Amino acid sequence: MSEAEEHRGGPDRAWIAQAIEAIEADVNRSADTHLLRLPLPACPGISLYVKDESTHPTGSLKHRLARSLFLYALCSGRIGPGTTIVESSSGSTAVSEAYFARMLGLPFVAVMPRTTSAEKVAQIARYGGRCHFVDGPGAVYAEAERLAASLGGHYMDQFTYAERATDWRGNNNIAESIFAQMAREPQPVPAWIVVGAGTGGTSATIGRFLRYRRLPTRLCLADPSASVFHRHLADPSVCTTNGPSSLIEGIGRGRCEPSFLPEIIDRAEAVSDPASLAAARVLSDRLGRSCGGSTGTNLWAAARVIAGMAAAGETGSVVTLLCDSGERYRSTHADDAWLAGRGIVLDREIAAVEAFFAHGTSPDAAQAG
Ligand SMILES: Cc1ncc(COP(=O)(O)O)c(C=O)c1O
């Protein structure tokens, strides 16, 4: 066989087969994540569930995405033995991809904002990955592309490929798992699912699955105030923001990412950073499980949805996500001195979330009152 013929099928097929087998074996060793029920005695007829994605082997919902991105790139012939994997990330995806890169024996470089939490940086290094820092969330894309080209590697590009790498019709994606776990609940078809968007991959998978299965569940986007996504939903001509970026890592972006599908979002809720951080603390206490900031964004938005349902006399279930553990932010969000250094005090917002649980009122109303 000539060299040209040998290369026509892309990288080494035997190696690709082994790599896919290694990933499938990892899936086989893993359990599904828990769907936790959070009592809401103040809202009779409404139930709240939290899917705990922090229990994946790499600690966040990004384990699903990283697995899908590797399978997508392998099956597309884009990575082979020795390919350096480069990714732009706010940290969580890079942690999960570093894990899979190590599993396949591939070098991995994460291009991330300098502000990424030290815990995530340490986790990437633990999996043998290298971190390459840039000066802001907006600088990650071009630098990752440049670096991949200069290393002769592959830019995974989660922001472009998240929506197509995941099999949204099923294959135990996050949406299929939620509906399977809800099957024996009193209100098995949620009225609402509330999620944040980083790449937009999770919201795209859920929104498409709802349509494909012809389910009446509506999708609410929980978005940091500094993010462009909710602005874009209000005014489609707005596709970027230049303001300061959010403190909530993983969700909210300054540009409309290619994987974010606005057409399948039914409602968007903008949540301030203090509100997100306060909600994460209250939820951590109530669940006895530590939650990161983006989970707080989800809870605050879910509380608005639930308070609206209660006020309108509606009943039903609401599902949201525990995206990653607060342990990842022990030196930042969980540290009062770190918050005080940024002029953030959470007392009012914490009281507002407690008031939601006590009375079923919107946390915004409690805050204003
Ligand atoms: C902690 C955390 N929560 C939520 C998300 C949102 O997920 P997606 O990228 O699927 O929109 C991310 C994404 O980076 C994240 O890191």
Side-chain angles (χ1 to χ4, degrees):
M1 204 190 299
S2 74
E3 208 176 305
E5 279 171 329
E6 219 173 343
H7 282 85
R8 201 165 293 147
D12 187 328
R13 290 280 289 270
W15 182 86
I16 290 177
Q18 271 176 17
I20 292 170
E21 180 55 34
I23 295 174
E24 294 293 284
D26 185 70
V27 176
N28 200 47
R29 288 192 300 273
S30 298
D32 201 353
T33 60
H34 301 296
L35 185 65
L36 310 171
R37 185 164 182 191
L38 203 63
L40 285 181
C43 301
I46 303 179
S47 38
L48 175 59
Y49 298 82
V50 180
K51 187 156 175 65
D52 185 1
E53 292 287 292
S54 74
T55 62
H56 284 291
T58 58
S60 83
L61 80 174
K62 293 302 187 163
H63 195 80
R64 294 178 191 274
L65 174 61
R67 184 167 60 213
S68 298
L69 287 167
F70 268 94
L71 287 173
Y72 182 76
L74 284 163
C75 294
S76 305
R78 293 185 187 147
I79 55 181
T83 305
T84 298
I85 306 297
V86 180
E87 183 62 294
S88 52
S89 177
S90 66
S92 299
T93 305
V95 170
S96 302
E97 287 179 345
Y99 168 92
F100 285 104
R102 186 177 70 169
M103 181 188 293
L104 306 187
L106 302 176
F108 178 75
V109 188
V111 179
M112 303 188 296
R114 222 171 285 287
T115 50
T116 305
S117 79
E119 290 83 352
K120 288 186 197 166
V121 172
Q123 193 67 46
I124 292 164
R126 197 168 298 130
Y127 291 136
R130 183 159 74 77
C131 296
H132 177 96
F133 295 107
V134 294
D135 278 328
V140 290
Y141 319 100
E143 183 57 10
E145 201 170 349
R146 186 200 65 74
L147 198 62
S150 76
L151 295 169
H154 175 64
Y155 174 27
M156 207 61 127
D157 194 358
Q158 58 164 333
F159 294 102
T160 299
Y161 294 106
E163 58 86 6
R164 73 194 77 162
T166 298
D167 191 350
W168 49 267
R169 292 178 195 85
N171 200 9
N172 196 31
N173 69 37
I174 193 165
E176 190 171 50
S177 167
I178 288 171
F179 279 89
Q181 290 176 322
M182 286 294 290
R184 301 184 71 160
E185 297 306 301
Q187 295 150 320
V189 177
W192 288 94
I193 296 180
V194 181
V195 297
T199 62
T202 303
S203 54
T205 300
I206 295 172
R208 283 171 168 162
F209 184 87
L210 295 177
R211 280 160 183 74
Y212 182 60
R213 292 286 175 96
R214 287 143 285 165
L215 293 157
T217 306
R218 284 170 292 169
L219 183 60
C220 172
L221 178 75
D223 204 29
S225 306
S227 170
V228 76
F229 294 140
H230 63 275
R231 294 164 212 265
H232 177 73
L233 286 161
D235 175 357
S237 71
V238 179
C239 294
T240 54
T241 60
N242 293 318
S245 52
S246 167
L247 292 176
I248 310 303
E249 290 179 24
I251 56 165
R253 303 294 300 170
R255 72 168 200 187
C256 276
E257 301 298 348
S259 277
F260 176 68
L261 307 187
E263 297 83 357
I264 53 181
I265 308 281
D266 296 295
R267 164 178 180 174
E269 294 294 334
V271 180
S272 74
D273 287 356
S276 295
L277 298 174
R281 286 197 185 187
V282 173
L283 188 60
S284 301
D285 278 353
R286 288 191 168 248
L287 288 177
R289 285 167 196 250
S290 178
C291 309
S294 65
T295 305
T297 316
N298 287 344
L299 178 66
W300 192 284
R304 276 189 195 146
V305 168
I306 290 167
M309 287 169 69
E314 293 167 16
T315 56
S317 54
V318 175
V319 177
T320 193
L321 306 180
L322 195 174
C323 304
D324 66 359
S325 164
E327 288 302 312
R328 289 202 162 160
Y329 311 95
R330 212 180 320 151
S331 62
T332 55
H333 300 166
D335 178 0
D336 285 335
W338 187 90
L339 291 180
R342 283 152 187 80
I344 299 174
V345 181
L346 300 179
D347 299 356
R348 257 163 39 99
E349 285 82 3
I350 286 176
V353 182
E354 294 290 10
F356 160 71
F357 280 111
H359 311 297
T361 45
S362 166
D364 304 286
Q367 228 190 334

